[in-house]
């Protein structure tokens, strides 16, 4: 493999024309012969560049609505031939195949077509065949061919050529080859995953995933771990698509926690009123509605002021100056909202380290998606938890039925419990969490921890009794024994929402009746690990 290889002849065929003309001019100025196809050739000629059509090289016209134009030995032979193999060189001479030193290709916008909701036939027509074939050929033969698939590498290509007298170096070609194979792999992954969904294959024999690098991080969850952030191209509003208005670079933990916060607050539709979620270590430490966004934030903050310090704050409506001023009174890592007013941004500008994110919208909590978790030797794939419960889905199992006010709070608590690590217990009163117990091995421990936090906050707020008095409580899974339910009753809860389904449901229901509690079953569990 040669260290440096001159670029004398290039084939350019791109769907995305960004930067094309500048690249074409740069190559022409460096004495490179340009070959091209269709719209790419037209764009280059309009810029005054001399271009040879691939059809003139192959002797065959583009045909079948452009489906066949580069699938020809004079193209693939020019890309795949080993220049130091005498037999290959002889074959090129015998068949009139000219070497292609540089391939610049980006593919039909299949992912964008799918994202726009195109029909089956349109998506099929946007599957690129010739492009991936050429990319793979050039990448395989990177000992002799330079392959570029990303617009962001155009300037790097010209720079490497300038550095090496019109040639590219081996290290650069290898890096571009890896990028090229990753691009075709991601493209094929997008096609196969779309087709599985389109034809109703819920569990395909092979599952492929791909992402595009957007950030290399200083470290991962801990300083000794390397990390990077990739996007999947789904364009779901959230941390991956947000515009960062200010603050330090997002860390691994920032991104993880911010995603948890924004997904939670999206459960509360903005047309139903302002809502705020405060997250610490991917668990909510306060969630509330309010008449105003400022009130929602204040009520969420009052659930657990200690844990909220250094947390992530997510809002379901446009952030205004009054709310921003209240948030600015404590140390906060990240604030994320659909929109942020200029006045609110101005207030946060005084806090240079605070990361301020604007998403332009809320994610749809009902949208079908998948979650992936790595395990040793493989990974688990499941549907995203989009389960939702309404008043008509509740089964009253106790002698006393919950009041309308209790039902509203029970449904609020149930939405929050879905986003709390199991075992999850959530106390709610008047549309605000007043105690959250998360991640305990025993459900009764989560119940008691949440109640204890409410007692601590009562002291901090100067209340005579904890806000769990007169609250409702949600459990993400059934109570296996009456002890957890009775602990909630001791804390002052008056109504309970849980999935039901325990072998001892009768004992739990009897204990609820004896304690005067109203209890409803949902028939749906919300484990979160």
């Amino acid at each position: 493999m040669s260290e440096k290889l001159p670029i004398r002849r290039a084939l350019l065929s791109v769907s995305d024309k960004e930067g094309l003309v500048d690249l074409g001019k740069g190559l022409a100025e460096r004495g490179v012969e340009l070959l091209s196809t269709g719209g790419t050739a037209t764009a280059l000629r309009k810029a005054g560049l001399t271009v040879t059509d691939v059809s003139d090289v192959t002797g065959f016209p583009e045909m079948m609505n452009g489906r066949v134009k580069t699938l020809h030995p004079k193209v693939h032979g020019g890309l795949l031939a080993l220049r130091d193999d005498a037999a290959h060189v002889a074959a090129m001479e015998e068949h009139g195949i000219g070497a292609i030193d540089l391939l610049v290709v980006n593919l039909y916008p299949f992912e964008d077509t799918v994202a726009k909701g195109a029909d089956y036939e349109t998506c099929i027509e946007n599957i690129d065949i010739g492009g991936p074939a050429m990319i793979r050929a050039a990448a395989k033969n990177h000992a002799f061919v330079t392959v570029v698939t990303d617009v962001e590498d155009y300037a790097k290509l010209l720079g490497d050529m300038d550095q090496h007298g019109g040639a590219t170096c081996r290290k650069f070609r290898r890096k571009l080859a890896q990028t090229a194979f990753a691009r075709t792999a991601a493209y094929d992954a997008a096609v196969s995953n779309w087709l599985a969904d389109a034809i109703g294959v819920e569990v395909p024999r092979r599952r492929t995933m791909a992402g595009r690098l957007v950030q290399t991080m200083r470290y991962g969850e801990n300083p000794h771990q390397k990390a990077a952030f990739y996007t999947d191209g789904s364009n779901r509003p959230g941390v991956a698509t947000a515009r960062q208005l200010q603050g330090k670079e997002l860390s691994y933990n920032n991104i993880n926690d911010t995603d948890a916060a924004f997904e939670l607050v999206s459960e509360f539709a903005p047309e139903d009123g302002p809502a705020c979620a405060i997250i610490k270590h991917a668990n909510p430490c306060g969630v509330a509605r309010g008449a105003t966004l400022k009130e929602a934030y204040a009520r969420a903050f009052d659930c657990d002021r200690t844990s909220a310090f250094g947390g992530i704050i997510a809002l379901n409506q446009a952030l205004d100056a009054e709310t921003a001023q209240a948030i600015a009174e404590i140390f906060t890592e990240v604030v994320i909202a659909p929109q942020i007013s200029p006045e609110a941004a101005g207030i946060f500008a005084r806090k240079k380290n605070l990361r301020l994110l604007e998403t332009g919208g809320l994610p749809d909590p009902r949208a079908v998606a998948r979650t992936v978790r790595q395990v040793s030797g493989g990974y688990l794939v499941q549907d995203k938890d989009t389960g939702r419960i309404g008043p008509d889905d509740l089964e009253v199992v106790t002698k006393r039925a919950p009041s309308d006010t209790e039902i509203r709070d029970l449904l609020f608590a149930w939405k929050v419990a879905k986003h709390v690590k199991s075992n999850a217990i959530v106390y709610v009163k008047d549309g605000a969490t007043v105690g959250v117990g998360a991640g305990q091995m025993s459900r009764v421990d989560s119940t008691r921890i949440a109640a204890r936090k409410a007692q601590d906050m009562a002291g901090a707020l100067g209340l005579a009794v904890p806000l769990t008095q007169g609250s409702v409580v949600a459990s993400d899974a059934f109570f296996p024994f009456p002890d957890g339910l009775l602990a909630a009753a001791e804390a002052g809860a008056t109504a309970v929402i849980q999935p039901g389904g325990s072998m001892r449901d009768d004992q739990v229901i009897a204990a609820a009746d004896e304690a005067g509690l109203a209890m409803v079953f949902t028939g749906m569990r919300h484990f979160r690990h």
Side-chain angles (χ1 to χ4, degrees):
M1 179 185 289
S2 299
E3 171 61 30
K4 300 175 185 177
L5 287 175
I7 303 295
R8 300 188 179 95
R9 195 165 182 247
L11 170 54
L12 288 72
S13 181
V14 297
S15 176
D16 179 1
K17 305 299 190 292
E18 179 187 348
L20 171 65
V21 170
D22 288 341
L23 175 62
K25 288 180 178 179
L27 292 172
E29 289 168 358
R30 290 162 177 81
V32 179
E33 177 189 356
L34 303 181
L35 312 181
S36 193
T37 63
T40 306
T42 300
L44 292 171
R45 287 196 181 101
K46 283 184 178 179
L49 295 170
T50 300
V51 182
T52 300
D53 285 318
V54 166
S55 58
D56 292 336
V57 174
T58 63
F60 278 84
E62 293 185 18
M63 61 182 71
M64 302 175 186
N65 297 320
R67 282 191 170 202
V68 179
K69 51 189 174 184
T70 59
L71 296 169
H72 192 280
K74 287 195 175 182
V75 173
H76 284 269
L79 292 171
L80 283 166
L82 299 176
R83 318 298 164 78
D84 60 355
D85 185 306
H88 284 211
V89 173
M92 292 174 73
E93 291 175 353
E94 179 182 355
H95 298 288
I97 297 173
I100 299 172
D101 307 307
L102 168 66
L103 177 72
V104 180
V105 171
N106 57 58
L107 306 175
Y108 293 169
F110 177 81
E111 297 98 330
D112 291 343
T113 302
V114 172
K116 291 174 183 176
D119 60 29
Y120 186 91
E121 288 73 20
T122 302
C123 290
I124 289 292
E125 283 305 311
N126 275 275
I127 298 174
D128 202 325
I129 302 301
M134 289 193 294
I135 290 171
R136 289 175 60 82
K140 176 178 180 176
N141 202 28
H142 64 269
F144 301 100
V145 181
T146 304
V147 56
V148 177
T149 56
D150 288 340
V151 173
E152 62 203 67
D153 288 326
Y154 290 178
K156 296 175 185 176
L157 168 67
L158 297 177
D160 197 68
M161 291 175 65
D162 289 343
Q163 187 177 349
H164 299 99
T168 57
C169 70
R170 179 168 52 194
K171 180 178 180 181
F172 185 60
R173 293 195 303 275
R174 283 179 170 176
K175 185 174 181 180
L176 289 177
Q178 186 280 322
T179 300
F181 279 123
R183 178 64 188 109
T184 57
Y187 196 79
D188 288 341
V191 173
S192 65
N193 289 335
W194 165 79
L195 190 55
D197 289 339
I199 66 176
V201 179
E202 294 184 355
V203 185
R205 184 176 302 163
R206 289 181 175 86
R207 169 73 69 185
T208 52
M209 288 168 286
R212 185 177 180 88
L213 178 68
V214 293
Q215 182 183 338
T216 301
M217 297 174 175
R218 289 173 57 212
Y219 56 81
E221 236 172 334
N222 300 292
H224 62 278
Q225 295 172 272
K226 293 181 179 179
F229 183 37
Y230 292 81
T231 57
D232 62 9
S234 63
N235 293 322
R236 181 177 175 86
V239 65
T241 58
R243 184 168 65 103
Q244 185 168 349
L245 304 184
Q246 70 161 63
K248 296 189 295 184
E249 184 176 74
L250 289 164
S251 70
Y252 180 101
N253 292 326
N254 288 156
I255 291 172
N256 187 57
D257 290 353
T258 302
D259 179 66
F262 205 57
E263 288 290 324
L264 169 51
V265 86
S266 73
E267 296 279 357
F268 303 99
E271 58 267 25
D272 294 335
C276 173
I278 306 175
I279 295 287
K280 195 74 168 289
H281 296 297
N283 275 307
C285 49
V287 185
R289 284 197 178 279
T292 65
L293 207 57
K294 179 184 177 182
E295 182 185 16
Y297 163 71
R299 300 185 74 213
F301 182 53
D302 283 346
C303 177
D304 186 354
R305 291 184 173 183
T306 300
S307 298
F309 184 84
I312 312 293
I313 296 175
L315 307 160
N316 75 335
Q317 293 184 355
L319 175 60
D320 57 80
E322 192 176 15
T323 307
Q325 190 62 58
I327 293 172
E329 292 176 4
I330 68 162
F331 169 60
T332 300
E333 287 275 0
V334 181
V335 176
I336 184 169
Q339 293 85 30
I340 297 168
S341 74
E343 295 78 13
I347 289 169
F348 284 131
R350 299 192 294 269
K351 291 182 166 286
K352 301 296 184 182
N353 290 334
L354 181 142
R355 293 98 164 164
L356 187 60
L357 304 180
E358 184 176 57
T359 65
L362 289 170
D364 182 356
R366 299 161 298 185
V368 176
R370 294 183 183 90
T371 63
V372 181
R373 173 163 295 185
Q374 187 83 35
V375 297
S376 296
Y379 50 88
L380 294 166
V381 180
Q382 67 172 349
D383 293 337
K384 186 180 179 68
D385 186 357
T386 58
R388 298 171 74 82
I389 292 295
D392 295 339
D393 300 308
L394 303 178
E395 178 190 2
V396 179
V397 295
T398 49
K399 294 176 182 178
R400 184 175 79 80
S403 67
D404 289 345
T405 298
E406 287 174 325
I407 288 176
R408 284 194 296 271
D409 279 347
L410 288 168
L411 292 173
F412 183 100
W414 187 248
K415 288 181 178 180
V416 176
K418 185 170 87 172
H419 294 265
V420 179
K421 297 292 179 69
S422 301
N423 286 305
I425 294 291
V426 179
Y427 292 92
V428 167
K429 186 174 183 179
D430 298 329
T433 57
V434 294
V436 179
Q440 297 303 304
M441 292 69 75
S442 164
R443 193 159 299 278
V444 67
D445 285 345
S446 287
T447 308
R448 289 168 176 160
I449 288 171
R452 177 54 190 266
K453 282 181 169 289
Q455 291 174 356
D456 293 344
M457 276 308 302
L461 297 172
L463 303 177
V465 295
L467 288 173
T468 49
Q469 292 291 326
S471 68
V472 306
V473 67
S475 174
D476 66 331
F478 61 65
F479 286 103
F481 301 96
D483 54 356
L485 178 136
L486 293 175
E490 291 172 6
T494 62
V496 179
I497 185 169
Q498 60 138 317
S502 167
M503 294 174 58
R504 300 175 182 82
D505 273 350
D506 289 346
Q507 296 178 31
V508 176
I509 292 169
D513 282 333
E514 186 174 348
L517 299 174
M519 185 161 65
V520 295
F521 284 178
T522 64
M524 178 183 292
R525 190 179 72 186
H526 280 313
F527 268 169
R528 188 177 184 88
H529 296 109

